[in-house]
């Protein structure tokens, strides 16, 4: 089980949780200012590098990648503001959606949509 500390990105925690848990196929659990990820099978482990990459991709997709560091220590991943200023946004989901013209796949995340589009051109 991995814990992701979201104190500096608390306003986007829910969207981040959905994105990361989809990327690593893990079960998310919300807690105060953090969320945990666990596997369906207790014998499986979560790839720490995949989780970190997913968090960075999400932050890049909302234009905040340069403002935050993703730090891991044991089974705790912390998202820390470089400038000390947390993200202050409405927690309501954005209305911008990306839709695949080939198959109708829909995503709110540009990075996920771009990765999906690549499968049509393999």
């Amino acid at each position: 089980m991995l814990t992701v500390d979201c104190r500096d990105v608390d306003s986007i925690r829910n969207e981040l949780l959905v994105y990361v848990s989809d990327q690593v196929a893990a079960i998310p659990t919300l807690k105060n200012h953090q969320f945990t990820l666990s596997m369906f099978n207790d014998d499986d482990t979560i790839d720490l590098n995949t989780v970190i990459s997913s968090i960075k991709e999400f932050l890049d997709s909302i234009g905040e990648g340069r403002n935050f560091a993703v730090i891991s220590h044991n089974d705790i991943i912390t998202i820390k503001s470089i400038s000390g200023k947390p993200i202050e946004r409405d927690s309501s989901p954005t209305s911008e959606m990306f839709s695949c013209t080939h198959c109708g796949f829909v995503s709110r995340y540009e990075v996920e949509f771009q990765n999906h589009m690549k499968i049509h051109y393999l």
Side-chain angles (χ1 to χ4, degrees), residues 1 38-46:
M1 178 167 59
S38 54
M39 295 302 289
F40 296 103
N41 185 354
D42 291 335
D43 297 332
D44 294 339
T45 59
I46 298 173

Side-chain angles (χ1 to χ4, degrees), residues 31-68:
K31 294 186 175 184
N32 267 350
H33 306 294
Q34 64 186 16
F35 63 88
T36 60
L37 298 169
S38 54
M39 295 302 289
F40 296 103
N41 185 354
D42 291 335
D43 297 332
D44 294 339
T45 59
I46 298 173
D47 183 22
L48 183 66
N49 292 326
T50 304
V51 173
I52 291 171
S53 296
S54 298
I55 293 169
K56 288 180 180 180
E57 283 176 10
F58 181 82
L59 291 172
D60 286 340
S61 75
I62 61 169
E64 295 286 353
R66 293 183 177 166
N67 300 326
F68 290 87

Side-chain angles (χ1 to χ4, degrees), residues 91-105:
S91 60
S92 62
T94 61
S95 61
E96 187 174 351
M97 299 291 276
F98 300 94
S99 177
C100 178
T101 57
H102 299 290
C103 68
F105 172 80

